[in-house]
Amino acid sequence: MLPGFGYARPRNLREAVHLLSAPGARVQAGGTDLLGCLRDGVFGVDTVVSLSGVPDLRGIRRALDGGLVVGAMTTLSEVAAPTDVVKGYPTLAQGAAAAASPQLRNQGTIGGNICQRPRCWYFRGDFHCARKGGEKCFAAEGENQFHCIFGGDVCFIVHPSDTAPALVALEAVVRITGPNGSRSVPAEKFFILPETDYTRENVLTAGEIVTEIVLPPQPAGTRGTYRKVRARGSWDFALAGAAVVATITAGKVERARIVLSGVAPTPWRVPDAERAIVGRRLNKRTVRDAAAAALKGAQTMSGNAYKVELLRGTVEEALLALA
Amino acid sequence: MGHDQNDGKGGCPQGVSRRGFFTAVGAGALGAATLGRSQTPGAPPAGAAEPTKVTLRVNGRAHTVLAEPRWTLLFVLRERLGLTGTKVGCERGECGACTVLLDGTPVYACMMLALEAEGHEVTTLEGLMNGEELGPVQQAFLQEDAFQCGYCTPGQIVAAEGLLRANPQPTLEEIRAGMSGNLCRCGTYAHIFKAVKKASELKKVAGR
Ligand SMILES: Cc1cc2nc3c(=O)[nH]c(=O)nc-3n(C[C@H](O)[C@H](O)[C@H](O)COP(=O)(O)OP(=O)(O)OC[C@H]3O[C@@H](n4cnc5c(N)ncnc54)[C@H](O)[C@@H]3O)c2cc1C
Ligand code: FES
Ligand code: FES
């Protein structure tokens, strides 16, 4: 049985923002992450404010500039569905399809997916760790085989989302509404590292809601893919992954964005790896250079050194898939 | 899901799986359940924690129950409506034992508040019966011997029903992917996949 809480199902965004201004109120999208956190006592909640009754937040539409606007309440299944619109953004569709299980994709939303809490077993378990306001990160000296090799500081989580790296690679923009109005934040700036604040994973402040995600139009010749490696074929979080979006003209890479999953507390962009392929053809050699560049600066702990080689292969495969 | 397959380089070389770890450290840490709750009185209008009247449409019938907000759909189906075909497994969205159809689509009833199901059509295992007879997916599981202890079976059958409604003639790969949200501790997967194939044939013959 879950601990007790109140429940509200507002009919529109304004009502939702108002309800969320109450202390102890928390937004629920599909609930697939929130209910797990409540059940495990990761945090408590006084009132669950459900967004399921706000119809404007769900669905995918064309933007005026030819891009796409994906409502925060659009389910992962809907994002992954083989529609014409999603065909233009295969990196995102593949990310959504690679997340969780069929049932969870039917329930879980894209907004919830990028706002989900980390899966670190100390954070989820009975440990008063730094991210929960405690003194230290237990993973640093404990069991850390699923923890980060980049960007760790105080806390060493990996960001759990499979759609987030795609959104950063696609230069998506996250639209947010809160008590002080609306703002837009590039996906790349939406996620924050422990060095900025090790108790949060993103820039959202109290009472703010992600309303939609804007995908800019992609130049002709743009291709993309998401390669995820997990410990088994069935549902599991990424051990390592790479979201790639590249524009290729006359056989050469004109621009590229490479963003890693499963290896850092945020989707981890690797500009050096991008530079290694821009202006060049994608072949075994350039791809090897790019993967080597992607690994620069990796810092392993007692249990996660395997991620370095795993990531090398993952980046190489993702890039070769676009060749 | 070829691009998802682990090539054997990864895995958990240290021999500790995520799942194993949880059992080892014990996740029963509900003592901390009220962690972070606000103490502030007189907050803006919050939703009530008291039981609320909710009308759920389950297997074609409307049921009105008094439900606490924290009650999951799984709890209400079993403990208030007596529909025990839906099983309790992990209660964490990991095993699929609690699978029901929501407007024809498979979801985990343990990861959904009962209040959220209002306005939707819920179908449970019981709703897949063909009167007093077994429905085609149930029949197929029986014919293909697709269970051992049977605990996961109701969830498997409902997941299969949902898969076949969306994709009446799935390939083996599509069956494997479509059924990947349902675990079977007895490991009867090969038979389960055969049963889903069989069910697609039975459904075609029966025209439903
Ligand atoms: C067994 C299991 C396996 C999983 N495997 C994967 C995986 O491999 N890859 C992956 O990416 N994910 C995985 N997930 C996570 C799953 O995809 C997420 O649970 C889901 O996407 C979250 O969406 P939701 O709508 O259910 O969010 P909710 O549970 O409703 O919300 C999640 C969090 O985000 C906040 N939130 C939700 N919506 C908004 C919004 N619009 N604005 C502001 N805050 C918001 C909530 O307050 C809550 O803290 C897994 C989950 C489970 C249970
Ligand atoms: S009981 Fe719901 S998924 Fe395990
Ligand atoms: S038959 Fe025993 S768990 Fe599947």
Side-chain angles (χ1 to χ4, degrees):
Chain A
M1 183 69 65
L2 292 166
F5 49 73
Y7 172 87
R9 198 187 207 179
R11 299 293 198 74
N12 56 52
L13 191 57
R14 199 191 313 166
E15 242 181 80
V17 168
H18 177 65
L19 286 161
L20 280 169
S21 69
R26 221 174 230 276
V27 63
Q28 161 174 285
T32 60
D33 181 58
L34 182 69
L35 299 189
C37 287
L38 295 178
R39 196 179 302 281
D40 288 342
V42 177
F43 50 78
V45 60
D46 290 335
T47 307
V48 167
V49 178
S50 167
L51 296 181
S52 64
V54 184
D56 307 349
L57 294 179
R58 186 161 178 179
I60 303 176
R61 60 185 162 86
R62 267 278 163 228
L64 289 177
D65 66 0
L68 277 188
V69 182
V70 183
M73 289 296 285
T74 309
T75 65
L76 294 176
S77 295
E78 288 162 347
V79 173
T83 56
D84 283 346
V85 272
V86 174
K87 269 189 202 135
Y89 302 87
T91 316
L92 177 59
Q94 289 171 21
S101 67
Q103 286 92 331
L104 290 166
R105 291 194 293 275
N106 290 337
Q107 297 169 268
T109 65
I110 181 129
N113 190 261
I114 64 170
C115 297
Q116 62 176 306
R117 303 306 311 272
R119 287 278 157 177
C120 167
W121 40 35
Y122 297 104
F123 177 74
R124 295 268 167 166
D126 188 16
F127 295 84
H128 194 49
C129 72
R131 194 161 287 274
K132 288 192 284 199
E135 297 272 292
K136 64 168 188 172
C137 171
F138 292 85
E141 286 167 12
E143 297 285 352
N144 50 34
Q145 39 277 66
F146 300 121
H147 291 74
C148 69
I149 55 173
F150 296 111
D153 177 6
V154 185
C155 165
F156 294 86
I157 60 156
V158 295
H159 200 279
S161 170
D162 285 312
T163 62
L167 295 178
V168 174
L170 288 162
E171 296 176 70
V173 171
V174 181
R175 289 218 178 112
I176 299 166
T177 297
N180 302 317
S182 297
R183 58 181 179 134
S184 292
V185 178
E188 196 169 350
K189 300 252 163 65
F190 180 76
F191 303 97
I192 58 176
L193 285 170
E195 66 185 28
T196 306
D197 183 346
Y198 55 79
T199 63
R200 297 187 294 158
E201 296 82 48
N202 56 56
V203 297
L204 292 180
T205 56
E208 282 192 319
I209 300 173
V210 172
T211 55
E212 51 194 25
I213 289 156
V214 184
L215 301 168
Q218 302 293 304
T222 302
R223 308 171 195 176
T225 191
Y226 178 58
R227 168 90 170 99
K228 172 182 179 180
V229 180
R230 40 183 138 181
R232 55 179 189 180
S234 168
W235 69 261
D236 213 341
F237 292 88
L239 296 174
V244 184
V245 175
T247 308
I248 300 175
T249 35
K252 282 191 179 161
V253 177
E254 206 175 285
R255 49 197 282 283
R257 285 172 67 100
I258 305 174
V259 184
L260 311 178
S261 63
V263 291
T266 62
W268 191 254
R269 193 173 162 209
V270 279
D272 285 346
E274 295 167 3
R275 275 192 288 275
I277 53 170
V278 168
R280 302 171 78 184
R281 290 175 189 280
L282 285 178
N283 54 38
K284 279 212 165 120
R285 209 188 63 219
T286 54
V287 155
R288 208 188 307 135
D289 291 348
L295 302 177
K296 247 188 274 168
Q299 285 193 312
T300 60
M301 295 184 284
S302 57
N304 67 1
Y306 73 94
K307 282 200 178 189
V308 174
E309 284 312 306
L310 189 63
L311 187 60
R312 185 194 303 279
T314 307
V315 172
E316 286 183 5
E317 283 182 15
L319 289 173
L320 279 179
L322 295 189
Chain B
M1 281 198 192
H3 72 286
D4 276 324
Q5 294 299 328
N6 185 353
D7 27 15
K9 278 185 275 173
C12 327
Q14 318 303 329
V16 181
S17 74
R18 252 170 270 238
R19 288 138 313 258
F21 183 87
F22 274 120
T23 8
V25 299
L30 290 181
T34 49
L35 199 85
R37 296 191 106 213
S38 87
Q39 308 292 316
T40 324
E50 291 83 56
T52 314
K53 220 187 214 181
V54 57
T55 301
L56 299 180
R57 280 195 70 78
V58 184
N59 301 331
R61 278 185 54 198
H63 303 263
T64 301
V65 292
L66 221 51
E68 286 184 37
R70 63 173 167 162
W71 288 359
T72 60
L73 178 59
L74 175 60
F75 178 84
V76 169
L77 287 173
R78 290 180 54 88
E79 306 297 331
R80 288 295 173 273
L81 304 182
L83 293 168
T84 52
T86 310
K87 297 297 175 220
V88 185
C90 63
E91 293 194 87
R92 275 185 180 71
E94 296 178 358
C95 75
C98 66
T99 303
V100 300
L101 301 182
L102 194 77
D103 300 327
T105 305
V107 298
Y108 294 146
C110 72
M111 294 305 263
M112 180 170 198
L113 298 179
L115 298 183
E116 290 278 301
E118 186 151 48
H120 297 280
E121 178 69 43
V122 180
T123 307
T124 67
L125 182 79
E126 291 87 346
L128 300 185
M129 293 292 289
N130 195 357
E132 288 295 298
E133 313 265 291
L134 295 181
V137 184
Q138 293 164 319
Q139 194 70 52
F141 270 68
L142 199 59
Q143 284 181 20
E144 293 294 341
D145 204 9
F147 44 83
Q148 276 184 36
C149 77
Y151 197 83
C152 72
T153 314
Q156 303 277 5
I157 288 173
V158 177
E161 175 74 27
L163 169 64
L164 294 174
R165 285 190 191 182
N167 181 2
Q169 301 293 323
T171 62
L172 178 61
E173 259 323 288
E174 287 168 341
I175 291 173
R176 291 169 69 99
M179 298 298 290
S180 64
N182 292 74
L183 305 186
C184 172
R185 292 204 64 177
C186 301
T188 59
Y189 295 108
H191 290 247
I192 290 171
F193 300 152
K194 264 199 215 155
V196 178
K197 189 85 200 150
K198 178 73 155 191
S200 78
E201 289 156 18
L202 292 182
K203 269 175 169 276
K204 199 168 157 197
V205 172
R208 46 168 279 182

